[in-house]
Amino acid sequence: MLNIFTLAHGRLVQEEIESLEELSRFQPIWVDLESPTLEEKRWIKQYFGLSIPEDAMDEDIEESARFYEEDNGELHIRSDFLIADAEEPRTVRCAFILNQHNTDLKSRGVLFSIHDEDVPVFRLLRMRARRAPGLIADAKEVLLKLFDADAEYSADTLEGIYDELEKASTLVLSGDVTDELAGEVLGAIARQEDLNGRIRRNVMDTRRAVSFMMRSKMLNAEQFEEARQILRDIDSLDSHTAFLFDKINFLMDATVGFININQNKIIKIFSVASVALLPPTLIASLYGMNFQYMPELSEKWGYPYALAMMVASAVVPMWYFRRRGWLK
């Protein structure tokens, strides 16, 4: 899908383009390509003179491959954006191209974004820019606001993680944790740990992208200060993710501790049973000896006497263990 955005009365207006002729009627500041077709790429090249690289969304992690400037003045930024889906949280690679200086091309002053699927941060910015006049002034402002919205989206997701961990904490610290419940809690904690790790990686990537924009001297004084504020917000998110990792580790340890306690209870029952059955076993072993002269063997009451001794020797230890509270 090819979406273009123009400024009208200080607001960002979205248009969906279905032909090259429609594209020529507008002067956009932002062109968003979601899973672009070969035909849409051809429109961009014909009208704007911009060739979209085939490796625009490669998973390179080296900074030189993700943030660089071409000889023709095009800035290239590849950054990851979070999708905090409940079933499958993930990050989506987005490529940005911005021509600031080459006046021979119609792409000058237009931000191009290329990605494979819809990104919540993009929707958030579009909604805000439609409702708040003056929020966007130029293409650089669009890019900066996207990273600002990305940091805010990460912060909201972190709040959701904390809420989920609070639910897990209530279950774990209730004191009555069965093995089944512990398994469910461990699964929930593991999902939040994975999401927290993705957020930390995402904000680290956003920090690198914003720092590159500041180093490239593409921002004016007001935008530069806004970029610094984004970096300060990211620093606070880093601290919060570290706090959540500590909380996750505590809940993991507590849950595993309750599992161990439940296992120890089972082992304790077997231990108590084995100890209680030792005296009857000893008595039975004594009367199972093949000696010729054993006084009780010739008596009528010998068999019930041995049974009574075995029962008594089992009941007394069990009574003692229960009195001491070892059977709870």
Side-chain angles (χ1 to χ4, degrees):
M1 183 182 298
L2 180 60
N3 292 312
I4 67 170
F5 298 86
T6 60
L7 281 178
H9 307 292
R11 287 184 170 89
L12 203 62
V13 179
Q14 179 179 352
E15 301 286 347
E16 292 187 4
I17 300 301
E18 297 182 356
S19 68
L20 181 59
E21 291 73 19
E22 289 184 2
L23 182 61
S24 61
R25 299 207 315 261
F26 301 97
Q27 183 55 45
I29 65 167
W30 179 20
V31 177
D32 184 40
L33 297 97
E34 180 183 335
S35 299
T37 63
L38 292 177
E39 185 180 20
E40 290 170 343
K41 290 181 179 180
R42 188 173 66 251
W43 295 346
I44 297 299
K45 183 173 179 58
Q46 288 179 350
Y47 185 75
F48 292 103
L50 174 70
S51 297
I52 299 175
E54 292 297 328
D55 61 345
M57 289 170 286
D58 280 359
E59 295 295 327
D60 296 317
I61 60 173
E62 295 84 0
E63 186 167 0
S64 60
R66 300 182 65 176
F67 314 105
Y68 62 93
E69 184 173 359
E70 295 280 12
D71 295 336
N72 61 2
E74 290 178 354
L75 280 175
H76 290 255
I77 297 176
R78 298 175 185 176
S79 186
D80 295 331
F81 287 82
L82 178 70
I83 299 180
D85 184 74
E87 299 297 328
E88 186 186 355
R90 60 197 180 276
T91 53
V92 175
R93 174 63 52 83
C94 298
F96 299 99
I97 304 173
L98 178 59
N99 169 26
Q100 298 185 92
H101 309 297
N102 193 342
T103 57
D104 296 333
L105 299 176
K106 292 182 180 180
S107 61
R108 182 179 181 273
V110 181
L111 175 67
F112 295 86
S113 58
I114 307 99
H115 49 97
D116 288 332
E117 59 181 301
D118 192 22
V119 181
V121 169
F122 285 46
R123 297 197 303 267
L124 178 62
L125 178 63
R126 293 196 295 263
M127 179 186 67
R128 288 180 175 176
R130 285 197 301 266
R131 296 179 178 178
L135 181 66
I136 302 295
D138 55 24
K140 295 181 292 185
E141 197 84 41
V142 172
L143 185 55
L144 201 59
K145 292 296 184 184
L146 281 173
F147 289 129
D148 186 23
D150 187 41
E152 184 175 345
Y153 181 76
S154 297
D156 292 340
T157 307
L158 285 176
E159 292 180 2
I161 292 176
Y162 184 83
D163 292 339
E164 292 298 321
L165 291 179
E166 281 295 295
K167 295 178 183 178
S169 178
T170 302
L171 293 175
V172 171
L173 301 181
S174 64
D176 185 18
V177 181
T178 63
D179 289 347
E180 182 180 358
L181 177 60
E184 295 177 0
V185 171
L186 283 176
I189 295 174
R191 288 191 294 271
Q192 301 310 316
E193 192 277 338
D194 176 69
L195 182 55
N196 193 49
R198 291 179 183 276
I199 292 174
R200 188 156 197 170
R201 178 186 175 188
N202 182 67
V203 297
M204 179 184 69
D205 184 81
T206 303
R207 178 191 286 115
R208 293 170 64 191
V210 174
S211 298
F212 172 76
M213 293 177 65
M214 296 172 70
R215 293 195 307 270
S216 65
K217 300 179 181 180
M218 61 182 290
L219 306 176
N220 57 36
E222 184 178 352
Q223 292 169 342
F224 191 87
E225 182 57 35
E226 185 176 354
R228 291 180 61 185
Q229 181 58 47
I230 294 174
L231 293 182
R232 286 192 289 267
D233 292 340
I234 289 175
D235 289 338
S236 66
L237 293 180
D238 271 342
S239 301
H240 199 63
T241 55
F243 160 73
L244 289 180
F245 274 128
D246 290 340
K247 187 175 182 64
I248 287 170
N249 289 332
F250 165 74
L251 290 176
M252 281 281 194
D253 292 341
T255 306
V256 172
F258 277 111
I259 293 176
N260 291 333
I261 290 173
N262 291 339
Q263 292 177 344
N264 289 337
K265 288 180 180 178
I266 297 174
I267 295 174
K268 183 177 67 174
I269 291 173
F270 281 111
S271 299
V272 169
S274 61
V275 171
L277 293 176
L278 279 177
T281 304
L282 177 61
I283 295 173
S285 300
L286 288 174
Y287 286 102
M289 294 179 181
N290 294 321
F291 292 112
Q292 182 177 1
Y293 299 105
M294 296 185 72
E296 291 82 4
L297 293 181
S298 59
E299 301 293 338
K300 293 183 179 180
W301 46 264
Y303 178 66
Y305 172 74
L307 290 180
M309 288 182 62
M310 293 169 65
V311 172
S313 63
V315 170
V316 171
M318 294 296 291
W319 169 81
Y320 179 75
F321 293 154
R322 180 176 294 276
R323 184 176 181 182
R324 296 294 300 269
W326 294 352
L327 297 179
K328 296 180 179 179

